[in-house]
PDB file of all heavy atoms in Angstrom:
ATOM      1  N   PHE A 172     196.092  59.106 147.241  1.00 86.00           N
ATOM      2  CA  PHE A 172     196.839  58.238 146.321  1.00 86.00           C
ATOM      3  C   PHE A 172     197.980  57.519 147.033  1.00 86.00           C
ATOM      4  O   PHE A 172     198.959  57.122 146.419  1.00 86.00           O
ATOM      5  CB  PHE A 172     197.359  59.039 145.121  1.00 86.00           C
ATOM      6  CG  PHE A 172     196.244  59.625 144.311  1.00 86.00           C
ATOM      7  CD1 PHE A 172     196.023  60.992 144.295  1.00 86.00           C
ATOM      8  CD2 PHE A 172     195.392  58.813 143.586  1.00 86.00           C
ATOM      9  CE1 PHE A 172     194.983  61.536 143.568  1.00 86.00           C
ATOM     10  CE2 PHE A 172     194.340  59.346 142.849  1.00 86.00           C
ATOM     11  CZ  PHE A 172     194.140  60.715 142.839  1.00 86.00           C
ATOM     12  N   ARG A 179     203.459  58.711 143.906  1.00 92.00           N
ATOM     13  CA  ARG A 179     203.422  58.029 142.606  1.00 92.00           C
ATOM     14  C   ARG A 179     202.767  58.950 141.565  1.00 92.00           C
ATOM     15  O   ARG A 179     201.734  59.553 141.847  1.00 92.00           O
ATOM     16  CB  ARG A 179     202.588  56.768 142.833  1.00 92.00           C
ATOM     17  CG  ARG A 179     201.976  56.118 141.684  1.00 92.00           C
ATOM     18  CD  ARG A 179     201.150  54.917 142.162  1.00 92.00           C
ATOM     19  NE  ARG A 179     199.758  55.216 142.493  1.00 92.00           N
ATOM     20  CZ  ARG A 179     198.790  55.373 141.597  1.00 92.00           C
ATOM     21  NH1 ARG A 179     199.067  55.313 140.311  1.00 92.00           N
ATOM     22  NH2 ARG A 179     197.553  55.618 141.972  1.00 92.00           N
ATOM     23  N   PRO A 180     203.351  59.086 140.355  1.00 96.00           N
ATOM     24  CA  PRO A 180     202.717  59.930 139.336  1.00 96.00           C
ATOM     25  C   PRO A 180     201.430  59.294 138.788  1.00 96.00           C
ATOM     26  O   PRO A 180     201.374  58.080 138.600  1.00 96.00           O
ATOM     27  CB  PRO A 180     203.777  60.045 138.239  1.00 96.00           C
ATOM     28  CG  PRO A 180     204.773  58.982 138.508  1.00 96.00           C
ATOM     29  CD  PRO A 180     204.627  58.503 139.918  1.00 96.00           C
ATOM     30  N   LEU A 181     200.437  60.113 138.544  1.00 97.00           N
ATOM     31  CA  LEU A 181     199.145  59.634 138.059  1.00 97.00           C
ATOM     32  C   LEU A 181     199.094  59.659 136.537  1.00 97.00           C
ATOM     33  O   LEU A 181     199.746  60.488 135.894  1.00 97.00           O
ATOM     34  CB  LEU A 181     198.023  60.538 138.576  1.00 97.00           C
ATOM     35  CG  LEU A 181     197.970  60.807 140.077  1.00 97.00           C
ATOM     36  CD1 LEU A 181     196.841  61.777 140.393  1.00 97.00           C
ATOM     37  CD2 LEU A 181     197.788  59.493 140.834  1.00 97.00           C
ATOM     38  N   THR A 182     198.305  58.762 135.974  1.00 98.00           N
ATOM     39  CA  THR A 182     197.955  58.828 134.555  1.00 98.00           C
ATOM     40  C   THR A 182     196.512  59.299 134.492  1.00 98.00           C
ATOM     41  O   THR A 182     195.664  58.784 135.232  1.00 98.00           O
ATOM     42  CB  THR A 182     198.097  57.439 133.902  1.00 98.00           C
ATOM     43  OG1 THR A 182     199.457  57.027 134.035  1.00 98.00           O
ATOM     44  CG2 THR A 182     197.727  57.457 132.429  1.00 98.00           C
ATOM     45  N   VAL A 183     196.230  60.296 133.643  1.00 98.00           N
ATOM     46  CA  VAL A 183     194.881  60.875 133.637  1.00 98.00           C
ATOM     47  C   VAL A 183     194.212  60.728 132.271  1.00 98.00           C
ATOM     48  O   VAL A 183     194.885  60.646 131.235  1.00 98.00           O
ATOM     49  CB  VAL A 183     194.912  62.368 134.053  1.00 98.00           C
ATOM     50  CG1 VAL A 183     195.394  62.514 135.490  1.00 98.00           C
ATOM     51  CG2 VAL A 183     195.775  63.203 133.111  1.00 98.00           C
ATOM     52  N   ASP A 222     194.264  56.704 136.300  1.00 97.00           N
ATOM     53  CA  ASP A 222     193.901  56.849 137.710  1.00 97.00           C
ATOM     54  C   ASP A 222     192.702  57.761 137.883  1.00 97.00           C
ATOM     55  O   ASP A 222     191.894  57.577 138.782  1.00 97.00           O
ATOM     56  CB  ASP A 222     195.069  57.481 138.490  1.00 97.00           C
ATOM     57  CG  ASP A 222     196.301  56.607 138.453  1.00 97.00           C
ATOM     58  OD1 ASP A 222     196.287  55.571 139.111  1.00 97.00           O
ATOM     59  OD2 ASP A 222     197.267  56.974 137.749  1.00 97.00           O
ATOM     60  N   GLN A 223     192.627  58.788 137.059  1.00 97.00           N
ATOM     61  CA  GLN A 223     191.657  59.860 137.292  1.00 97.00           C
ATOM     62  C   GLN A 223     191.203  60.456 135.972  1.00 97.00           C
ATOM     63  O   GLN A 223     191.950  60.433 134.990  1.00 97.00           O
ATOM     64  CB  GLN A 223     192.305  60.993 138.092  1.00 97.00           C
ATOM     65  CG  GLN A 223     192.343  60.763 139.592  1.00 97.00           C
ATOM     66  CD  GLN A 223     190.970  60.879 140.233  1.00 97.00           C
ATOM     67  OE1 GLN A 223     190.203  61.792 139.897  1.00 97.00           O
ATOM     68  NE2 GLN A 223     190.638  59.974 141.130  1.00 97.00           N
ATOM     69  N   MET A 238     189.997  67.943 137.845  1.00 95.00           N
ATOM     70  CA  MET A 238     190.022  66.483 137.806  1.00 95.00           C
ATOM     71  C   MET A 238     188.888  65.941 138.664  1.00 95.00           C
ATOM     72  O   MET A 238     188.095  66.697 139.200  1.00 95.00           O
ATOM     73  CB  MET A 238     191.387  65.984 138.296  1.00 95.00           C
ATOM     74  CG  MET A 238     192.440  66.187 137.219  1.00 95.00           C
ATOM     75  SD  MET A 238     194.116  65.780 137.700  1.00 95.00           S
ATOM     76  CE  MET A 238     193.973  64.176 138.432  1.00 95.00           C
ATOM     77  N   MET A 241     189.447  66.991 142.471  1.00 97.00           N
ATOM     78  CA  MET A 241     190.646  67.779 142.801  1.00 97.00           C
ATOM     79  C   MET A 241     190.932  68.755 141.664  1.00 97.00           C
ATOM     80  O   MET A 241     190.447  68.573 140.544  1.00 97.00           O
ATOM     81  CB  MET A 241     191.844  66.864 143.070  1.00 97.00           C
ATOM     82  CG  MET A 241     192.102  65.810 142.026  1.00 97.00           C
ATOM     83  SD  MET A 241     192.828  64.298 142.680  1.00 97.00           S
ATOM     84  CE  MET A 241     191.398  63.373 143.239  1.00 97.00           C
ATOM     85  N   ALA A 310     197.874  67.303 140.504  1.00 98.00           N
ATOM     86  CA  ALA A 310     196.523  67.436 141.051  1.00 98.00           C
ATOM     87  C   ALA A 310     196.655  67.910 142.480  1.00 98.00           C
ATOM     88  O   ALA A 310     197.645  67.593 143.152  1.00 98.00           O
ATOM     89  CB  ALA A 310     195.839  66.076 141.039  1.00 98.00           C
ATOM     90  N   ALA A 315     193.687  64.568 148.146  1.00 94.00           N
ATOM     91  CA  ALA A 315     194.809  64.208 147.255  1.00 94.00           C
ATOM     92  C   ALA A 315     196.133  64.830 147.697  1.00 94.00           C
ATOM     93  O   ALA A 315     197.192  64.382 147.278  1.00 94.00           O
ATOM     94  CB  ALA A 315     194.492  64.670 145.829  1.00 94.00           C
ATOM     95  N   ALA A 318     199.451  65.634 144.087  1.00 96.00           N
ATOM     96  CA  ALA A 318     199.790  64.368 143.437  1.00 96.00           C
ATOM     97  C   ALA A 318     200.284  64.656 142.019  1.00 96.00           C
ATOM     98  O   ALA A 318     199.546  65.227 141.208  1.00 96.00           O
ATOM     99  CB  ALA A 318     198.568  63.461 143.403  1.00 96.00           C
ATOM    100  N   PRO A 319     201.523  64.287 141.686  1.00 97.00           N
ATOM    101  CA  PRO A 319     202.045  64.562 140.351  1.00 97.00           C
ATOM    102  C   PRO A 319     201.275  63.814 139.270  1.00 97.00           C
ATOM    103  O   PRO A 319     200.806  62.701 139.498  1.00 97.00           O
ATOM    104  CB  PRO A 319     203.493  64.056 140.416  1.00 97.00           C
ATOM    105  CG  PRO A 319     203.618  63.286 141.665  1.00 97.00           C
ATOM    106  CD  PRO A 319     202.455  63.571 142.549  1.00 97.00           C
ATOM    107  N   VAL A 320     201.137  64.443 138.114  1.00 98.00           N
ATOM    108  CA  VAL A 320     200.525  63.786 136.955  1.00 98.00           C
ATOM    109  C   VAL A 320     201.655  63.516 135.956  1.00 98.00           C
ATOM    110  O   VAL A 320     202.372  64.445 135.571  1.00 98.00           O
ATOM    111  CB  VAL A 320     199.437  64.683 136.324  1.00 98.00           C
ATOM    112  CG1 VAL A 320     198.863  64.044 135.061  1.00 98.00           C
ATOM    113  CG2 VAL A 320     198.328  64.962 137.333  1.00 98.00           C
ATOM    114  N   GLY A 321     201.815  62.256 135.557  1.00 98.00           N
ATOM    115  CA  GLY A 321     202.947  61.892 134.700  1.00 98.00           C
ATOM    116  C   GLY A 321     202.577  61.670 133.250  1.00 98.00           C
ATOM    117  O   GLY A 321     203.395  61.838 132.347  1.00 98.00           O
ATOM    118  N   LYS A 322     201.331  61.261 133.016  1.00 98.00           N
ATOM    119  CA  LYS A 322     200.945  60.894 131.650  1.00 98.00           C
ATOM    120  C   LYS A 322     199.492  61.279 131.387  1.00 98.00           C
ATOM    121  O   LYS A 322     198.656  61.200 132.305  1.00 98.00           O
ATOM    122  CB  LYS A 322     201.106  59.385 131.487  1.00 98.00           C
ATOM    123  CG  LYS A 322     201.064  58.916 130.040  1.00 98.00           C
ATOM    124  CD  LYS A 322     200.876  57.437 129.948  1.00 98.00           C
ATOM    125  CE  LYS A 322     202.198  56.690 129.885  1.00 98.00           C
ATOM    126  NZ  LYS A 322     201.972  55.250 129.586  1.00 98.00           N
ATOM    127  N   VAL A 323     199.198  61.659 130.135  1.00 98.00           N
ATOM    128  CA  VAL A 323     197.833  62.021 129.749  1.00 98.00           C
ATOM    129  C   VAL A 323     197.390  61.091 128.627  1.00 98.00           C
ATOM    130  O   VAL A 323     198.158  60.826 127.689  1.00 98.00           O
ATOM    131  CB  VAL A 323     197.777  63.478 129.220  1.00 98.00           C
ATOM    132  CG1 VAL A 323     196.331  63.910 128.964  1.00 98.00           C
ATOM    133  CG2 VAL A 323     198.453  64.435 130.187  1.00 98.00           C
ATOM    134  N   ILE A 333     204.319  63.887 130.509  1.00 98.00           N
ATOM    135  CA  ILE A 333     204.608  65.228 131.016  1.00 98.00           C
ATOM    136  C   ILE A 333     206.024  65.197 131.591  1.00 98.00           C
ATOM    137  O   ILE A 333     206.302  64.405 132.504  1.00 98.00           O
ATOM    138  CB  ILE A 333     203.600  65.634 132.096  1.00 98.00           C
ATOM    139  CG1 ILE A 333     202.181  65.573 131.505  1.00 98.00           C
ATOM    140  CG2 ILE A 333     203.906  67.016 132.638  1.00 98.00           C
ATOM    141  CD1 ILE A 333     201.084  65.762 132.510  1.00 98.00           C
ATOM    142  N   GLY A 336     207.804  62.105 132.988  1.00 97.00           N
ATOM    143  CA  GLY A 336     206.769  61.243 133.573  1.00 97.00           C
ATOM    144  C   GLY A 336     206.916  61.062 135.072  1.00 97.00           C
ATOM    145  O   GLY A 336     206.076  60.438 135.713  1.00 97.00           O
TER     146      GLY A 336
END
Side-chain angles (χ1 to χ4, degrees):
F172 298 111
R179 159 182 89 78
L181 308 177
T182 299
V183 296
D222 298 288
Q223 278 288 317
M238 284 175 49
M241 50 211 85
V320 176
K322 194 194 268 189
V323 186
I333 302 172

